[in-house]
Amino acid sequence: MNSRLTRRRFIKGVIFSGAAASTGASFYLANAQSGQSSAERLVTLNINGRNRPVDVLPQETLAHTLRYKLDLTGTKLGCNRGECGACTVLIDEVPNYSCSVLTHNVKGKTVTTIEGIKAADGTLHAVQQAFIDENSPQCGFCTPGQVMSAVALLRSNPRPTRKEALQAMSGNLYRCGAYEHYLNGVMRASGQLA
Amino acid sequence: MPPDIPGKVTGEIKYAEDYKREGMIFARLLTSPMPSGRVANIDASDALRMDGVIGIMTADDLPPSPPPGNPALASEYITFVGQPILAVAAVSEEIAEEAISRIRVDIERKDFVIDPLESLAPGGPKAYPEGNVLLRTREIGPGGTPIMSAEIKDIKWPQSAIDALREGKEPVGAEFPSEWAFGDLEAGFAQSTHIIEEPFVTIGYPHHSLEPRTSMAYWENGKCYFHGSSQSQSANDNGLARMLNIDPANLVFINEATGGGFGSKIGPYPYMAISGNFSRMLNRPVQLRITREQEFYLGSARSGMQGWIKIGVKDNGKVAAVDLVIVNDGGSTGGGSGSSSAQHVTIAYQPESMRFRGISVYTNTTPRGAQRGPGQNEMAAVLAPISDKIATSINMDRVAFRRVNVADSDGFQGGSRGPLTSAFGREALDQGARLFGWDEKINQPKRNGSKVRGVGVGIGYHGAGGRGYDGLVRIAPDGKLHIHSGVGNLGTYSYAGTSRAAAEALQVEWDNCEIHRGRTDNHLPHSSGQGGSNTMFTHGRANWVAAQDAITKLKEIAASELGGSPEDFEIGGERVFKSSDSTQGLSYAEAAQKAIEMGGKYSGMEYPDDINPITQRAVQGIQGTGLVGVSKDKIPGQGQPPGIQVGFCEIEMDLDTGKYEILNYAAVADCGTVVHPKNFENAMRGGAVWGVGLAGLERHVYDPQNGLPANVGLYQSKPPTYLDISTDTNMSAVNIPDPQNPIGARGIGEPTQGASAAALASAIADALDGHVFNTAPVTTDMIINHLAGNTYSTQTPNLKTNTF
């Protein structure tokens, strides 16, 4: 998780917003009809290089905003409580679980989702192409998160060792299980696997 | 490349929860906080007054589903923590959640039970007031039609039988609703030179499909459009239509992609009734997306076993007799897989005589259902170290012992000793031992300081194919081959692999093929549920027979156009032409145009009587648009196509911590012809990881005092992560075609897990000088307790389950 968006800070944010935070999933229980004015709720987010104005509740998570307000449904909600990694996005280039980040906390930052990974002309990112070549996904539900973690790794460490890649990807569960195919995909995308 | 894979890496492919509809509202569930009881009163008045709340649905709004049914919404019978009691629909998920928090539900508590043996004991608690055992019945009705039914029965064992089983002995005097035997058991044991008796316990665990099951339904012009999360496609049609009380012709089931199933989403599940009926009730599109916790509670789980096995072997290693007792933990739905576990024993040992006795007991734990190799795989995990113990006792190499006993093409499976289509377990063992370097590894030094190496071998098996489904193809006037596939998309890509059977039979370039799938109104034929490792065999055949029908029609059309008889023609290069003069022919495009003009069977205006009504509707949807090939699979043959796999595992265990690292894993599949090598490897590796979970990590843990699940979270349940597994594995296949599938393939999805679990369990035992835990999983705490001489978690005869 981004050091600037620690879990403690996230929970503090929830508490400050007046929401109940007894369990990870229950922050949806929060005061949906809070009295906050619309001026405070309307924020402009930088998503995939575009400014997107959006009405955001105080306790709303980034995953929720992306999926339900901005129709960016490539980001998946596997657990909605920071366990599985299916909702991984990049915030200022750092991979984060978007289910565990409050949308109000990404104001002024850049957010990259799976929809922002392809080139403008539709060319797949090297990671996406490598995941196809290695036949990495099975059901595909975790794949966007795996892609995001791999992209973040290769941006900070273009030629990782296999062990470094393993560590970097380890926050993403793959219930279908063929982890080795994603790992090989990461190595292929880094040019280390012919 | 499977056509749907780019959508998975770009996030563009849509799962049920990614669809939206004008006016869509959101349903959320209120679930039971206690394991057993009945709903005495519901007060939703506060919730219903909230702005944005649209409606509430309770059990009263659905047809009654008395025990042993598994109701979508419970009222009179609450039988597990997390069981849905009601649903609320609102304009947002947040409001629906808030509304649920304002509903008061009064629940009368009832006794609960989490340990099957406790329920079988005299005076023991039972999960339902009516009893503790699910009894499946089969009666012959009018005209000889079998009527399958089920009822709940109250069965108690004498305390002496409970005590005996807990102590690892035969439970004499116990009642078993399920029993089969073959051969002369008494003579078998009399002929045996070595006999061992072992208790065993395996603990169930949830599927943890990464997509919490979502559905979204709306109605238009009397039709229900239902976006569902399912492993299967056409196999949902009839059951889901029944849940919605409509003719299947009025259901459009949409399922482009599914976020994991592993057996828990083979057919329609009860909770699908909520969104479909709620949508009709409220006249709005309704989406029901459940939470991770709810997926744990109601997403189904593997059944656990408490058992006893007695095995007799001859000096040459041949298993002469097996006596097997299994008490299944049926959870709140009561079903177990004991007979399938026994079936694994028959494949692994081919015993000369065997008896199986089983009982499946309700507990107030999560519903149980099929989970990847249900029965077979957990049996593989506990049988492997027992097999090692026998082999060692007769001074036989562990691989050689398996080689003497495993099934071959003349072998049998199950209590009926049914035939196999073909089987090459020995070849797989030989190939695997070479691939892994068995002989070298068993002779290497074991101990290095506090580290010790263990090597293991295991066998996985599951039936891998069915018969009698339909195939449907169409050649369009542009020459393109359209393959209509009714199988689902659970991530194996077998919808595409089986479609190639039609493409190759018709000799059409893959780029000139289009697969139609994913929603009923794409005109999809009757298909099997996509479970049980069956699709490659079942639908390879079905697509092949549809292609043969198309080839016959191509030749008939060519003969009528160009003269001669159909036998004078052959196909190639997407043309049908005279064998004697290839210049005389028609392109597929021309033949398709001709088929439309000729009508009748050629364009699907007529179709065979024996195809399923689902396929008939699919043909009606495309009739007159090209040359239609449609047929039911009636390829002759008999026997079960088996999926068999052998696994070889090497671990390094730290004797100070009990933690082990998997150094190597090699596996060889006997699944007939490998159709798609990369997909094959992916399936093999996925199953291998599942085996690590089964043998070493995953289990239900309940608080026995309150019946509450203690490991609802993924991090507590511990499905394997990148850091728990070997990422340097070697996957191979015997690759001998099965004679009963024109494309030679059998399935392999499930045995991949069983072989891995068995090999790992065998390696753990080997690292500990043959110590047999007789449990699955063997967790690190058990290993360290064993090493420390503590018996708390390693004393298997108490058969503790669902707790520790």
Side-chain angles (χ1 to χ4, degrees):
Chain A
M1 183 180 279
N2 187 336
S3 60
R4 286 165 292 181
L5 283 169
T6 62
R7 185 159 184 87
R8 176 179 294 179
R9 188 163 165 200
F10 161 68
I11 291 169
K12 264 173 71 179
V14 175
I15 293 166
F16 286 159
S17 73
S22 56
T23 69
S26 68
F27 51 76
Y28 276 151
L29 294 176
N31 194 345
Q33 293 142 334
S34 90
Q36 220 166 346
S37 73
S38 58
E40 290 168 297
R41 289 178 19 172
L42 190 67
V43 297
T44 298
L45 304 176
N46 185 312
I47 313 275
N48 299 329
R50 286 177 57 202
N51 286 329
R52 305 286 301 268
V54 58
D55 179 9
V56 178
L57 295 172
Q59 73 281 14
E60 189 168 309
T61 66
L62 181 56
H64 188 91
T65 308
L66 293 171
R67 287 186 53 81
Y68 289 91
K69 304 277 178 73
L70 299 173
D71 208 20
L72 295 169
T73 54
T75 297
K76 300 301 179 199
L77 278 171
C79 67
N80 209 9
R81 57 187 194 191
E83 291 188 291
C84 75
C87 65
T88 303
V89 301
L90 307 188
I91 298 171
D92 288 347
E93 296 293 304
V94 176
N96 274 263
Y97 292 163
S98 62
C99 73
S100 302
V101 173
L102 290 175
T103 307
H104 278 279
N105 280 354
V106 301
K107 280 183 288 191
K109 301 176 192 299
T110 63
V111 175
T112 310
T113 71
I114 187 69
E115 289 86 355
I117 293 298
K118 266 195 314 194
D121 67 356
T123 306
L124 295 180
H125 186 281
V127 166
Q128 292 172 314
Q129 187 58 52
F131 282 2
I132 291 176
D133 295 342
E134 288 296 325
N135 212 56
S136 308
Q138 285 192 25
C139 84
F141 200 75
C142 74
T143 308
Q146 306 273 2
V147 170
M148 299 312 293
S149 289
V151 166
L153 167 68
L154 297 183
R155 282 182 183 169
S156 63
N157 181 1
R159 291 181 69 80
T161 65
R162 213 170 157 82
K163 195 164 183 183
E164 286 170 339
L166 199 65
Q167 292 288 342
M169 299 296 289
S170 67
N172 291 75
L173 271 182
Y174 181 12
R175 184 52 164 165
C176 300
Y179 287 108
E180 206 170 328
H181 287 245
Y182 280 127
L183 191 64
N184 289 342
V186 176
M187 301 313 283
R188 178 178 290 280
S190 74
Q192 299 181 87
L193 200 66
Chain B
M1 179 179 74
D4 62 319
I5 198 170
K8 289 178 176 173
V9 301
T10 58
E12 286 163 9
I13 199 166
K14 283 188 184 292
Y15 299 79
E17 67 184 70
D18 297 332
Y19 287 93
K20 291 188 179 60
R21 194 80 192 161
E22 179 89 26
M24 186 173 89
I25 54 176
F26 301 85
R28 299 294 260 180
L29 300 174
L30 185 152
T31 62
S32 170
M34 57 185 72
S36 184
R38 66 173 285 271
V39 175
N41 188 47
I42 296 172
D43 180 359
S45 50
D46 274 2
L48 290 169
R49 278 196 294 270
M50 283 175 61
D51 284 346
V53 171
I54 310 293
I56 181 171
M57 174 183 259
T58 67
D60 292 342
D61 298 307
L62 293 170
S65 176
N70 181 19
L73 295 170
S75 179
E76 273 305 298
Y77 296 87
I78 289 173
T79 53
F80 63 98
V81 171
Q83 186 165 25
I85 292 171
L86 59 84
V88 169
V91 295
S92 74
E93 283 189 320
E94 296 89 331
I95 294 173
E97 287 269 10
E98 172 66 12
I100 278 173
S101 73
R102 296 191 193 182
I103 294 174
R104 181 183 166 85
V105 180
D106 297 326
I107 301 173
E108 284 174 13
R109 281 177 186 273
K110 287 183 185 168
D111 282 352
F112 68 90
V113 62
I114 63 164
D115 180 344
L117 286 181
E118 202 183 314
S119 187
L120 286 173
K126 45 196 185 184
Y128 286 84
E130 289 81 357
N132 61 348
V133 172
L134 176 68
L135 207 64
R136 294 189 200 282
T137 56
R138 186 175 188 273
E139 290 170 12
I140 301 301
T145 316
I147 301 170
M148 314 295 281
S149 190
E151 61 184 5
I152 296 180
K153 197 178 169 192
D154 200 16
I155 294 182
K156 295 294 177 194
W157 284 6
Q159 188 61 45
S160 57
I162 306 277
D163 294 344
L165 193 58
R166 284 200 195 278
E167 288 163 16
K169 293 175 189 150
E170 182 181 1
V172 176
E175 180 182 348
F176 294 100
S178 173
E179 184 166 351
W180 50 254
F182 58 78
D184 186 337
L185 197 67
E186 207 173 312
F189 281 117
Q191 290 163 16
S192 300
T193 51
H194 293 79
I195 295 173
I196 67 166
E197 287 183 56
E198 297 284 340
F200 57 85
V201 59
T202 70
I203 304 177
Y205 59 90
H207 297 69
H208 293 304
S209 301
L210 208 50
E211 173 199 22
R213 56 201 63 214
T214 300
S215 53
M216 191 273 275
Y218 61 94
W219 296 75
E220 271 181 11
N221 302 322
K223 279 195 168 195
C224 181
Y225 293 79
F226 195 102
H227 295 267
S229 172
S230 175
Q231 293 172 220
S232 309
Q233 175 65 47
S234 299
N236 286 287
D237 291 359
N238 292 338
L240 183 53
R242 268 197 304 276
M243 284 182 184
L244 304 174
N245 197 23
I246 56 174
D247 187 313
N250 290 325
L251 171 68
V252 178
F253 182 67
I254 304 153
N255 180 35
E256 189 183 350
T258 300
F262 318 110
S264 71
K265 301 176 186 169
I266 295 176
Y269 36 86
Y271 317 103
M272 284 181 168
I274 298 172
S275 43
N277 285 303
F278 217 0
S279 170
R280 179 166 46 196
M281 217 169 110
L282 301 173
N283 199 22
R284 298 275 290 265
V286 172
Q287 183 197 78
L288 171 62
R289 184 176 68 84
I290 68 170
T291 66
R292 183 81 250 152
E293 293 93 325
Q294 287 166 351
E295 181 63 27
F296 173 96
Y297 295 136
L298 56 80
S300 183
R302 186 181 292 273
S303 168
M305 297 191 287
Q306 293 159 305
W308 167 85
I309 191 167
K310 180 179 172 185
I311 304 164
V313 293
K314 298 177 181 173
D315 269 339
N316 62 3
K318 183 64 209 161
V319 174
V322 175
D323 199 2
L324 177 64
V325 165
I326 291 175
V327 179
N328 271 117
D329 177 356
S332 61
T333 40
S337 338
S339 193
S340 300
S341 300
Q343 191 188 33
H344 171 84
V345 178
T346 64
I347 287 287
Y349 286 170
Q350 296 282 286
E352 291 168 358
S353 63
M354 179 165 170
R355 174 170 61 169
F356 163 69
R357 290 169 287 172
I359 185 168
S360 187
V361 182
Y362 281 103
T363 57
N364 296 104
T365 61
T366 67
R368 307 305 167 105
Q371 183 187 98
R372 203 170 197 157
Q376 293 93 352
N377 285 353
E378 57 267 34
M379 192 71 224
V382 285
L383 191 65
I386 294 173
S387 300
D388 294 347
K389 191 171 174 178
I390 305 170
T392 306
S393 73
I394 55 172
N395 290 318
M396 197 167 184
D397 174 74
R398 292 180 282 152
V399 175
F401 172 76
R402 286 164 171 85
R403 203 179 181 286
V404 165
N405 289 296
V406 73
D408 62 17
S409 295
D410 297 324
F412 64 89
Q413 56 77 29
S416 63
R417 286 193 281 181
L420 302 167
T421 56
S422 67
F424 302 96
R426 282 194 194 101
E427 287 78 357
L429 280 163
D430 292 344
Q431 195 174 322
R434 285 195 302 273
L435 188 68
F436 180 68
W438 175 259
D439 290 339
E440 299 82 55
K441 286 197 196 303
I442 56 171
N443 289 314
Q444 69 192 355
K446 279 188 85 165
R447 187 78 186 255
N448 179 16
S450 64
K451 303 282 176 67
V452 62
R453 295 224 170 178
V455 294
V457 55
I459 293 174
Y461 151 76
H462 194 276
R467 295 177 165 84
Y469 292 90
D470 300 333
L472 176 61
V473 300
R474 176 176 64 104
I475 301 170
D478 63 359
K480 212 169 179 111
L481 174 63
H482 297 261
I483 303 157
H484 294 252
S485 172
V487 307
N489 183 14
L490 82 161
T492 62
Y493 304 110
S494 56
Y495 76 85
T498 54
S499 292
R500 287 196 73 107
E504 288 180 13
L506 280 157
Q507 300 179 42
V508 177
E509 288 291 323
W510 190 236
D511 288 344
N512 205 20
C513 295
E514 189 175 330
I515 301 172
H516 297 262
R517 64 172 193 90
R519 49 186 297 155
T520 314
D521 52 7
N522 279 341
H523 317 301
L524 311 180
H526 176 231
S527 300
S528 66
Q530 197 172 11
S533 304
N534 84 85
T535 316
M536 289 310 295
F537 184 88
T538 312
H539 291 286
R541 287 164 54 115
N543 285 333
W544 187 85
V545 296
Q548 297 308 310
D549 184 54
I551 292 167
T552 301
K553 288 169 179 168
L554 282 166
K555 290 177 178 175
E556 289 174 0
I557 291 168
S560 80
E561 277 298 293
L562 304 168
S565 72
E567 294 76 36
D568 299 334
F569 288 82
E570 59 187 86
I571 61 162
E574 299 174 21
R575 290 178 71 243
V576 53
F577 54 85
K578 268 194 173 150
S579 303
S580 58
D581 178 4
S582 63
T583 61
Q584 287 194 51
L586 299 172
S587 69
Y588 278 5
E590 289 165 340
Q593 187 56 49
K594 241 15 252 180
I596 295 171
E597 290 163 17
M598 290 165 73
K601 67 178 182 179
Y602 298 104
S603 67
M605 302 304 289
E606 297 163 11
Y607 40 79
D609 293 337
D610 59 358
I611 59 172
N612 188 279
I614 291 174
T615 314
Q616 291 178 17
R617 285 194 295 275
V619 176
Q620 288 159 11
I622 60 172
Q623 59 191 184
T625 62
L627 189 158
V628 172
V630 58
S631 181
K632 178 176 177 167
D633 165 18
K634 290 174 286 189
I635 297 172
Q638 60 162 348
Q640 183 197 71
I644 297 177
Q645 185 176 149
V646 298
F648 292 82
C649 183
E650 181 181 22
I651 63 166
E652 184 177 71
M653 184 182 287
D654 186 329
L655 297 176
D656 290 335
T657 63
K659 190 175 182 309
Y660 57 83
E661 191 179 335
I662 302 169
L663 303 177
N664 290 292
Y665 180 69
V668 177
D670 168 27
C671 58
T673 304
V674 173
V675 171
H676 191 301
K678 206 132 212 172
N679 258 352
F680 164 77
E681 289 191 19
N682 187 307
M684 294 281 278
R685 294 202 168 94
V689 168
W690 268 72
V692 173
L694 168 59
L697 299 171
E698 299 183 62
R699 60 178 164 179
H700 271 142
V701 176
Y702 280 81
D703 159 17
Q705 188 166 327
N706 300 302
L708 303 177
N711 58 346
V712 175
L714 290 168
Y715 71 99
Q716 298 159 318
S717 287
K718 207 62 189 94
T721 73
Y722 276 96
L723 304 179
D724 297 310
I725 54 142
S726 169
T727 53
D728 188 13
T729 61
N730 211 337
M731 302 299 174
S732 191
V734 176
N735 220 1
I736 300 173
D738 189 278
Q740 292 192 31
N741 185 353
I743 61 169
R746 291 187 248 115
I748 199 61
E750 286 158 299
T752 54
Q753 181 191 18
S756 161
L760 176 55
S762 170
I764 291 171
D766 182 54
L768 298 170
D769 296 325
H771 175 74
V772 178
F773 286 96
N774 285 345
T775 68
V778 175
T779 54
T780 306
D781 59 297
M782 295 178 192
I783 295 172
I784 196 68
N785 271 324
H786 165 71
L787 289 166
N790 301 328
T791 57
Y792 174 71
S793 64
T794 59
Q795 197 177 10
T796 49
N798 60 32
L799 299 184
K800 272 184 296 210
T801 191
N802 289 333
T803 187
F804 61 86

